Amino acid sequence: MIQAIAFYLFAAVVIVSAVMTIASRNPVHSVMWLILAFFNAAGLMVLVGAEFIAMLLVIVYVGAVAVLFLFVVMMLDIDFAEMRAGVARYFGIGLALAVALAAEVMVAVGAWSAGQIDLSRRAAPIDPAVPNIAAIGQLLYTRYLFIFEAAGLVLLVAMIGAIVLTHRERGGTRYQNISRQNARRPQDAVRNVDQPVGQGVQL
């Protein structure tokens, strides 16, 4: 019973968080909704017995999104005085969300103690005595080998496309010339000037 409640709870929060990630106009709010979606997706992974994937979601994805959040804060023109005022104004909402996350953790622990949902056996029958990480490795490199390789190829093509788009020629853009910088002599880069007192600097 608690497993079904936990599943519908996590699934509903994941869907709502995903929708709010796209619908939010504030990028900071979008990142927060995305982090909430990752946490609840990790809860779903725990329910089906994939604890390793759940830890990857929390450690890798939530950690990467936290770094992305820091970059957003540094790059955007944000009034920090207004942000501090907003923290005081939304303190109650933040506290309620923290309590809700704590309640979800308690539900997840209770559902995990009751036993995992037997869904993995339908998609990929494995030996229950095999550890979680070993079972994932066996499935990836035996039954789903070609799909796994195709996913890696898609990611490789996406990475190459991003590099090509970044390094394409743009009109009016100055590029860094590494060989010219390395060939520059110290006397060309530094000029000693006996600057008179009371006069401006000549550029």
Side-chain angles (χ1 to χ4, degrees):
M1 182 63 182
I2 189 173
Q3 295 176 340
I5 294 174
F7 174 78
Y8 287 114
L9 174 64
F10 291 146
V13 176
V14 166
I15 294 174
V16 172
S17 301
V19 172
M20 292 303 298
T21 301
I22 302 173
S24 297
R25 295 185 177 181
N26 191 329
V28 178
H29 294 170
S30 296
V31 171
M32 291 301 180
W33 284 111
L34 188 60
I35 291 175
L36 181 61
F38 282 147
F39 268 114
N40 285 272
L44 290 175
M45 293 298 105
V46 170
L47 289 180
V48 298
E51 297 88 3
F52 177 68
I53 299 179
M55 291 300 103
L56 284 182
L57 277 172
V58 173
I59 296 173
V60 178
Y61 286 94
V62 175
V65 169
V67 174
L68 175 63
F69 171 72
L70 293 178
F71 276 106
V72 169
V73 171
M74 288 187 293
M75 294 175 63
L76 293 179
D77 186 14
I78 297 178
D79 188 359
F80 288 95
E82 183 180 355
M83 180 180 291
R84 283 192 290 269
V87 169
R89 183 172 52 184
Y90 294 111
F91 179 77
I93 298 176
L95 183 61
L97 288 176
V99 172
L101 281 175
E104 283 188 339
V105 170
M106 298 294 292
V107 171
V109 170
W112 182 77
S113 301
Q116 67 186 47
I117 299 177
D118 193 11
L119 295 177
S120 59
R121 189 172 299 276
R122 304 178 197 171
I126 58 174
D127 186 5
V130 177
N132 190 243
I133 301 176
I136 292 174
Q138 290 177 1
L139 288 175
L140 284 180
Y141 294 106
T142 55
R143 181 172 182 175
Y144 299 106
L145 175 62
F146 296 107
I147 299 176
F148 182 69
E149 294 291 338
L153 183 61
V154 169
L155 292 175
L156 177 62
V157 172
M159 182 178 65
I160 294 174
I163 294 173
V164 170
L165 290 176
T166 304
H167 289 280
R168 64 181 179 179
E169 295 290 336
R170 296 182 179 90
T173 303
R174 300 179 63 183
Y175 293 94
Q176 186 179 14
N177 193 334
I178 304 297
S179 60
R180 183 179 177 184
Q181 291 179 353
N182 291 333
R184 188 175 59 175
R185 298 175 301 174
Q187 54 268 28
D188 297 333
V190 180
R191 182 164 58 101
N192 294 326
V193 177
D194 186 10
Q195 182 66 30
V197 179
Q199 296 184 9
V201 179
Q202 182 181 1
L203 299 177

